[in-house]
């Protein structure tokens, strides 16, 4: 019997499947879809069923385009019992899709070696992903001593320096402090950001049905200097948004304050917090395929690499639902390049 999409409207029951499956992501959780709804996308949730058995779950976002057309997108999905089900997922989506849906994009996880990422999986063909394709995962099942030993020696030194200088980091409910850091970082690096309601909705909705969204801030003498927004579900937590700011307060006798290594303290304590809450891995989120010293991301990626994780691919794959699909993909790429140029003076992506 072929795979079928069974619509589900009960958030907790849906998230329970997303948490339990071995191939999964917090971006397939109900709360993430509700956040994307604030941007004009419409989420649809399904259980993947074969006979009477649930073998996966799928959150599809319908993204409206000009002319009444739509594209379908499964952020970091689908959720699966086994990757061998991917070809059948394409057939199930085709049976459900509307005539106005021209293309569907998925982002399943793959090996640490790019050479092991296939160009085609059944009807799915390699395509540009919407989320960053390349990331770093840290295995949190090691002891704290092993995690510390696995850090680059400079990161270990900075962790100890931050502690000695009185930096405290951990979960924090101060959204205003996070927002100040996040906004300042985006402006400094000429990055884009969604409206504030997007992040507030994710923080609220992702906590409502079995997943988790939370903030971690690193503070020195009460001032938040670094922080991030995390989305968690199942075995892992994902660092989606964040940044850091300089401490512009006057020091003793008007001197410039020391660098207290707040960003390093933030990452380290975010990892320890995730471990303490039972998560098995920590996803540092996007990094570029190759380091480029001319890009803003260079220093950030070097810092992430210093925490000793493994690089993993989440490649994009698409499936044409209409002959218009190639033209739509080209138009979306052009729009992304134009937005990059408008924001930063280059058509290149940040990562």
């Amino acid at each position: 019997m072929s795979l079928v999409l069974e619509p589900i409207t009960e958030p907790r029951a849906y998230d329970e499947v997303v948490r339990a499956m071995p191939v999964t992501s917090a971006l397939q959780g109900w709360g993430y879809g509700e956040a994307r709804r604030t941007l004009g996308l419409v989420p649809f949730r399904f259980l993947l069923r074969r006979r009477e058995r649930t073998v996966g779950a799928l959150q599809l976002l319908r993204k409206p385009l000009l002319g009444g057309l739509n594209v379908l997108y499964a952020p970091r999905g689908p959720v699966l019992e086994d990757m061998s089900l991917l070809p059948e997922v394409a057939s199930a989506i085709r049976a459900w899709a509307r005539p106005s849906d021209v293309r569907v994009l998925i982002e399943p996880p793959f090996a640490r070696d790019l050479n092991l990422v296939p160009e085609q999986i059944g009807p799915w063909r390699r395509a540009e992903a919407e989320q960053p394709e390349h990331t770093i995962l840290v295995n949190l099942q090691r002891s704290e001593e092993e995690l510390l030993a696995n850090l680059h020696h400079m990161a270990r030194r900075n962790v100890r320096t931050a502690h000695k200088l009185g930096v405290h980091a951990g979960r924090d409910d101060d959204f205003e402090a996070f927002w100040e850091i996040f906004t300042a970082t985006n402006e400094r690096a000429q990055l884009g950001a969604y409206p504030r309601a997007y992040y507030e909705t994710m923080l609220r909705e992702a906590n409502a049905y079995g997943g988790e969204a939370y903030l971690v801030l690193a503070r020195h003498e009460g001032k938040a200097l670094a922080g991030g927004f995390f989305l968690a579900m199942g075995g892992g937590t994902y660092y989606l948004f964040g940044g850091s700011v300089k401490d512009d307060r006057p020091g003793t006798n008007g001197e410039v304050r020391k660098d207290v290594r707040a960003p390093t303290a933030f990452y380290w304590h975010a990892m320890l917090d995730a471990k303490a809450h039972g998560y098995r891995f920590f996803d540092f989120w996007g990094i570029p395929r190759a380091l480029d010293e001319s890009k803003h991301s260079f220093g950030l990626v070097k810092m992430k690499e210093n925490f000793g994780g493994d690089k993993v691919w989440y490649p994009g794959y698409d499936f044409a639902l209409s002959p218009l699909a190639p033209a739509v993909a080209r138009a979306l790429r052009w729009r992304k390049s134009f937005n990059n140029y408008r924001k930063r003076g280059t058509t290149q992506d940040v990562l």
Side-chain angles (χ1 to χ4, degrees):
M1 183 178 177
S2 60
L3 204 65
V4 297
L5 302 185
E6 182 179 290
I8 180 168
T9 57
E10 214 315 291
R12 291 188 182 278
Y14 171 80
D15 273 2
E16 184 176 347
V17 175
V18 175
R19 285 198 311 273
M21 288 289 164
V23 180
T24 190
S25 168
L27 272 66
Q28 281 287 291
W30 196 281
Y32 185 80
E34 292 306 298
R36 300 295 277 190
R37 193 191 294 275
T38 68
L39 305 178
L41 282 66
V42 181
F44 297 87
R45 290 87 171 195
F46 307 93
L47 298 182
L48 303 179
R49 303 274 287 174
R50 174 177 283 155
R51 297 185 177 89
E52 300 301 316
R53 200 162 67 87
T54 299
V55 295
L58 176 65
Q59 177 164 248
L60 275 179
L61 305 178
R62 178 171 276 133
K63 303 171 67 173
L65 306 174
L66 294 175
L69 302 177
N70 309 287
V71 294
L72 302 174
Y73 169 50
R76 285 283 185 97
V79 172
L80 296 171
E81 183 180 74
D82 189 277
M83 288 284 283
S84 65
L85 295 168
L86 271 178
E88 293 181 68
V89 174
S91 300
I93 293 174
R94 178 183 283 282
W96 171 82
R98 295 175 181 172
S100 58
D101 297 329
V102 299
R103 175 180 183 250
V104 57
L105 174 68
I106 62 172
E107 297 166 338
F110 256 94
R112 291 163 172 77
D113 186 349
L114 176 60
N115 295 321
L116 299 180
V117 176
E119 286 299 310
Q120 187 170 350
I121 307 173
W124 298 104
R125 295 181 180 275
R126 227 14 204 104
E128 182 179 7
E130 181 164 319
Q131 303 299 331
E133 288 193 344
H134 207 177
T135 189
I136 294 177
L137 301 186
V138 171
N139 178 6
L140 298 177
Q141 295 178 291
R142 300 166 178 159
S143 68
E144 181 176 335
E145 292 74 20
E146 290 171 321
L147 288 172
L148 185 62
N150 202 40
L151 267 56
H152 186 276
H153 68 91
M154 288 296 294
R156 281 200 303 276
R157 188 173 76 176
N158 287 342
V159 165
R160 290 169 178 143
T161 298
H163 177 73
K164 188 180 300 183
L165 293 175
V167 177
H168 299 279
R171 294 205 182 191
D172 204 302
D173 294 330
D174 190 348
F175 186 86
E176 294 300 331
F178 160 75
W179 190 248
E180 181 180 338
I181 291 170
F182 182 53
T183 301
T185 301
N186 285 339
E187 291 175 352
R188 183 174 68 244
Q190 296 180 295
L191 303 175
Y194 295 123
R196 176 171 169 148
Y198 172 75
Y199 307 94
E200 291 176 324
T201 300
M202 194 184 306
L203 193 60
R204 181 182 65 252
E205 295 294 327
N207 280 304
Y209 310 115
E212 189 174 30
Y214 60 94
L215 306 175
V216 172
L217 297 178
R219 295 179 180 270
H220 184 244
E221 297 178 356
K223 183 175 176 62
L225 298 175
F229 185 115
F230 292 84
L231 192 65
M233 183 171 281
T237 188
Y238 303 77
Y239 168 52
L240 298 187
F241 318 107
S244 63
V245 293
K246 289 184 177 181
D247 193 345
D248 55 4
R249 296 173 296 178
T252 305
N253 299 323
E255 298 173 354
V256 176
R257 283 178 174 260
K258 289 183 178 180
D259 179 1
V260 296
R261 308 299 194 269
T264 302
F266 156 68
Y267 282 123
W268 174 243
H269 286 281
M271 286 169 51
L272 295 185
D273 171 86
K275 177 178 174 61
H277 282 80
Y279 294 112
R280 299 190 302 275
F281 66 86
F282 184 100
D283 189 330
F284 273 92
W285 209 239
I287 62 171
R289 297 187 182 191
L291 286 177
D292 183 344
E293 293 188 34
S294 68
K295 288 190 172 184
H296 157 76
S297 59
F298 180 79
L300 179 63
V301 173
K302 291 298 292 182
M303 174 174 279
K304 291 179 178 180
E305 287 184 333
N306 287 343
F307 284 84
D310 297 315
K311 294 178 181 177
V312 177
W313 287 90
Y314 283 83
Y317 289 91
D318 72 357
F319 176 55
L321 299 170
S322 161
L324 296 173
V328 167
R330 288 193 297 270
L332 292 175
R333 177 64 258 185
W334 180 89
R335 185 173 70 179
K336 189 174 184 180
S337 296
F338 175 77
N339 286 334
N340 286 340
Y341 186 80
R342 183 167 53 86
K343 293 171 186 173
R344 299 187 304 278
T346 174
T347 60
Q348 295 183 1
D349 295 336
V350 174
L351 297 178

